[in-house]
Amino acid sequence: MSDLPQEVIDRFIDELSNSIEDLRNLSLVCRPWLRRARYHLFRSITLGPQDFKEIREHYAYVKLKASRGGWDPDDRLSFDEEKLLRSPLAENPQPVQLFLSSISDTLPCVRGLRLLPLIQVGRGLFSAKNYFHKWLGFGGDQYVPECYVKRELSPNEDFYERQKARWDAVDLPWGHGAGIHALPFRNLRYIHIQWSVFSWTPLSLSSGGDDIPISMSPNLWPGFQLAMLIKSNADMLDYISIDEYPGFRLDQYTSTSNADGLLDLLAQNAPKLRSLSLGGLLRPFNPHLHTTQPSGSSAFLSKDPPIYPSGEEVPHVSSDWACPNDDHLLTNPRQSSLESLSIRGFDSESTLLIEDAFLNRGVFSVTTIKYLALSAMPEDYNYMFLFSKLYLSLTHLTLDLDKSTLNLKLKFSFFPNLECVQLIIHTTYRARINLRNMVRSLSDNVVRLDGSNSGFKIVRLLHIALGPGVYSGVAEQYLSGASIDEYLLNLVQHPPLGLSRSMGWTKLNMVTVDVSETILAEALPMTFATGCLKFGKTDEWWRQPIYLR
């Protein structure tokens, strides 16, 4: 095997790159095979904190259940528990830093990094806030009496010493007394960060370090870490995803020192950035997924802002770190290679400031954006202002069917180069009417502002996607109805009414939906009979780049 040319070995392993099990087996053949197998195995890594004490206790509990033979229904192992027993690292979990050291020669192969804030405690995953309060008693005296550290405390032990010992025992991928910029990656192309990751990097508990300025303010700490991590990978980095971001507030702009600088930081330190995904704290309310009703008439639930162990909120990126004395931003748009932009889950105030950064301050040039996804937007959001700046470059548009789009009279012919439209169904108010209106907008006769019809074409692909918790049976109710079927039939058979193909119009090539073809045949029989209606997966480009899938 080792006598084979390396090119042949690489080609063979590349063909099996989508099978983790095959890659693991191939990595055991010999050293020339190991290198290429690792290239695919470690193309993307997900890191997060772990509580080894809880993991070991849970493993011992599952092992005890298995030893009883499963005669009692309560002792029968779940699929996850059986998988846990087969894991070689479950009984003695390995610290992440030790693991990263063991694959140091493979780290240049890691192209994608996901930093998740949920801590593994054996029985499941918990948020930093939940863990600080329920396990450690951080955040205030009111959480001490009921926390696990207090319950397990022996009469002769000091609570605060035991609390610190438990905190020090938490396995943090970047280590205690440091930040996420201490991670040893230097060739990343993709980074995904949930802002509550910074809950695990309190500066007050940091031991400092050569790379941390002595005068570092707690307000600058998250931005410092993010900037250093991005700068370390600037030569390769082209995709950044940030979720649960708590910033973008008007009161932060009352003085230069408090202005939010996230977008400026990204533009300065990631010059080759092609895709940017920004997520806030809002999530669409779905009765199938959420038991807590949103307050008032809101269609969204808001996640709690991330906090430090002290109970203080993790701050936004301060412009003191991101763009000091950078006055030219106000007048000269930066040239950028940004092609894809996703915005979701921000309130009206935040959305306005994001628009201001792109369209007025020119932090990024918008003339190159081809892919745009807008999700969980404010109910009163004015889509047309953003569209008026991007209409010439957009080729792919993804929209949520929620309250914000219910009365949106969007004329798709406004986008001369639009090729694909994705509509995402959520179980929200009047979703069926919303879908019908959007499909109708695609089939309506709309002319250019100058009165001519030439130069425009209808989109080539329409995809109808299902949001989280929207099951096929629910989707069938939204799809059913003669009007939607008739509009789609017209789109796939003819150009818009009154226009001929000689005027530059073409018919819609394909309609894909995230449900089985059996349901499609029942819900949309006329369009299905044309052969242009198919099952299709959603292109969730804003979640992960295609080279890591």
Side-chain angles (χ1 to χ4, degrees):
M1 287 290 186
S2 59
D3 294 335
L4 290 173
Q6 188 65 45
E7 292 80 4
V8 175
I9 296 174
D10 293 349
R11 180 66 181 271
F12 176 73
I13 295 176
D14 290 346
E15 293 294 323
L16 300 171
S17 60
N18 292 326
S19 172
I20 299 298
E21 190 64 31
D22 287 340
L23 289 173
R24 286 174 176 169
N25 293 332
L26 292 172
S27 68
L28 301 176
V29 174
C30 59
R31 185 169 293 275
W33 292 60
L34 172 64
R35 183 176 59 184
R36 194 62 177 181
R38 276 187 168 182
Y39 175 80
H40 294 294
L41 280 170
F42 297 109
R43 60 188 170 190
S44 180
I45 287 181
T46 300
L47 301 178
Q50 301 179 90
D51 185 328
F52 286 163
K53 179 179 183 296
E54 291 288 340
I55 292 175
R56 293 189 184 100
E57 288 180 357
H58 182 62
Y59 178 83
Y61 166 71
V62 173
K63 194 173 181 180
L64 178 62
K65 283 177 63 176
S67 67
R68 294 172 182 163
W71 296 106
D72 189 321
D74 292 336
D75 288 337
R76 292 174 185 170
L77 300 182
S78 66
F79 174 80
D80 289 337
E81 288 174 334
E82 291 179 350
K83 185 178 179 181
L84 178 69
L85 287 179
R86 294 195 296 269
S87 172
L89 297 177
E91 188 170 11
N92 292 297
Q94 185 181 25
V96 175
Q97 288 186 303
L98 181 60
F99 163 72
L100 294 176
S101 298
S102 69
I103 61 167
S104 58
D105 60 330
T106 307
L107 290 180
C109 300
V110 179
R111 286 154 282 167
L113 173 65
R114 294 174 58 85
L115 296 180
L116 302 183
L118 302 179
I119 183 169
Q120 175 72 44
V121 296
R123 288 165 288 184
L125 296 170
F126 293 87
S127 68
K129 182 177 181 179
N130 193 334
Y131 184 78
F132 294 157
H133 293 172
K134 189 173 181 180
W135 266 263
L136 302 183
F138 281 145
D141 293 339
Q142 67 271 31
Y143 300 109
V144 171
E146 298 300 323
C147 74
Y148 287 173
V149 171
K150 183 70 173 179
R151 293 181 189 179
E152 298 172 352
L153 201 65
S154 62
N156 297 326
E157 282 187 298
D158 179 75
F159 170 76
Y160 294 104
E161 289 182 2
R162 180 70 178 273
Q163 183 189 56
K164 185 178 185 305
R166 280 298 303 270
W167 166 255
D168 291 341
V170 173
D171 180 43
L172 300 177
W174 40 86
H176 283 269
I180 65 170
H181 60 291
L183 292 169
F185 302 104
R186 297 295 179 267
N187 294 288
L188 295 175
R189 294 185 61 187
Y190 167 70
I191 294 177
H192 170 80
I193 295 177
Q194 289 179 237
W195 203 252
S196 46
V197 160
F198 295 110
S199 294
W200 301 96
T201 64
L203 186 61
S204 59
L205 298 179
S206 171
S207 60
D210 294 337
D211 60 340
I212 302 177
I214 298 176
S215 59
M216 176 65 67
S217 163
N219 288 334
L220 303 182
W221 183 226
F224 175 85
Q225 297 175 68
L226 181 62
M228 295 297 288
L229 178 64
I230 291 175
K231 187 174 290 188
S232 298
N233 295 275
D235 291 339
M236 299 291 293
L237 191 60
D238 61 13
Y239 200 124
I240 295 176
S241 172
I242 296 176
D243 202 6
E244 301 178 356
Y245 187 66
F248 305 117
R249 290 290 180 270
L250 281 172
D251 57 8
Q252 296 165 5
Y253 286 74
T254 56
S255 66
T256 304
S257 61
N258 290 326
D260 191 286
L262 175 63
L263 294 174
D264 301 276
L265 181 151
L266 298 179
Q268 282 185 343
N269 296 285
K272 298 183 179 180
L273 188 65
R274 297 178 60 189
S275 295
L276 175 61
S277 179
L278 297 173
L281 295 172
L282 298 181
R283 296 292 183 270
F285 171 69
N286 189 316
H288 297 288
L289 296 177
H290 306 119
T291 56
T292 304
Q293 293 280 344
S295 59
S297 60
S298 174
F300 302 105
L301 293 172
S302 180
K303 301 188 70 173
D304 293 331
I307 64 169
Y308 287 129
S310 63
E312 297 176 315
E313 290 188 8
V314 176
H316 61 281
V317 174
S318 170
S319 66
D320 285 352
W321 169 255
C323 52
N325 304 318
D326 208 353
D327 297 332
H328 73 273
L329 288 178
L330 300 175
T331 56
N332 299 323
R334 295 182 179 180
Q335 296 299 318
S336 76
S337 55
L338 192 66
E339 296 179 354
S340 306
L341 174 64
S342 170
I343 303 172
R344 66 187 180 282
F346 290 101
D347 59 20
S348 299
E349 190 176 319
S350 298
T351 307
L352 177 65
L353 294 173
I354 294 172
E355 276 194 354
D356 177 67
F358 274 91
L359 306 183
N360 298 326
R361 294 201 297 120
V363 175
F364 286 97
S365 171
V366 298
T367 59
T368 55
I369 296 178
K370 297 180 180 179
Y371 285 70
L372 178 66
L374 301 175
S375 176
M377 302 299 283
E379 186 176 346
D380 59 351
Y381 180 62
N382 183 1
Y383 285 86
M384 298 312 298
F385 182 65
L386 179 63
F387 289 160
S388 68
K389 304 295 184 180
L390 303 179
Y391 76 100
L392 287 175
S393 59
L394 282 187
T395 60
H396 289 68
L397 176 62
T398 299
L399 295 174
D400 265 11
L401 296 183
D402 55 23
K403 284 189 175 182
S404 69
T405 55
L406 183 60
N407 298 312
L408 175 62
K409 301 188 183 305
L410 183 60
K411 303 183 186 305
F412 289 97
S413 60
F414 181 60
F415 306 96
N417 298 303
L418 195 61
E419 299 176 358
C420 174
V421 172
Q422 290 194 130
L423 304 175
I424 302 181
I425 296 176
H426 290 280
T427 52
T428 54
Y429 178 65
R430 301 176 73 184
R432 180 176 176 182
I433 297 175
N434 205 340
L435 176 61
R436 185 196 65 191
N437 291 344
M438 282 291 181
V439 175
R440 180 178 180 178
S441 295
L442 275 169
S443 64
D444 277 350
N445 173 16
V446 182
V447 298
R448 283 180 78 168
L449 296 177
D450 62 5
S452 69
N453 298 324
S454 61
F456 282 118
K457 61 180 180 181
I458 201 166
V459 297
R460 309 306 297 272
L461 172 65
L462 169 64
H463 178 72
I464 300 173
L466 306 184
V470 181
Y471 305 108
S472 297
V474 176
E476 184 177 5
Q477 298 176 17
Y478 294 148
L479 293 170
S480 298
S483 59
I484 294 178
D485 199 9
E486 289 173 0
Y487 291 139
L488 289 177
L489 181 66
N490 185 57
L491 283 167
V492 300
Q493 287 188 333
H494 308 287
L497 184 63
L499 301 176
S500 67
R501 291 190 176 92
S502 63
M503 296 178 177
W505 289 90
T506 57
K507 66 179 182 178
L508 183 66
N509 281 7
M510 183 66 66
V511 179
T512 58
V513 190
D514 244 340
V515 296
S516 68
E517 295 195 356
T518 302
I519 292 178
L520 291 178
E522 295 176 356
L524 304 166
M526 293 187 294
T527 309
F528 186 80
T530 65
C532 295
L533 182 60
K534 302 286 186 181
F535 162 79
K537 284 289 186 182
T538 308
D539 180 14
E540 294 183 319
W541 56 264
W542 57 90
R543 299 193 187 279
Q544 194 176 51
I546 193 169
Y547 51 77
L548 293 181
R549 297 176 191 173

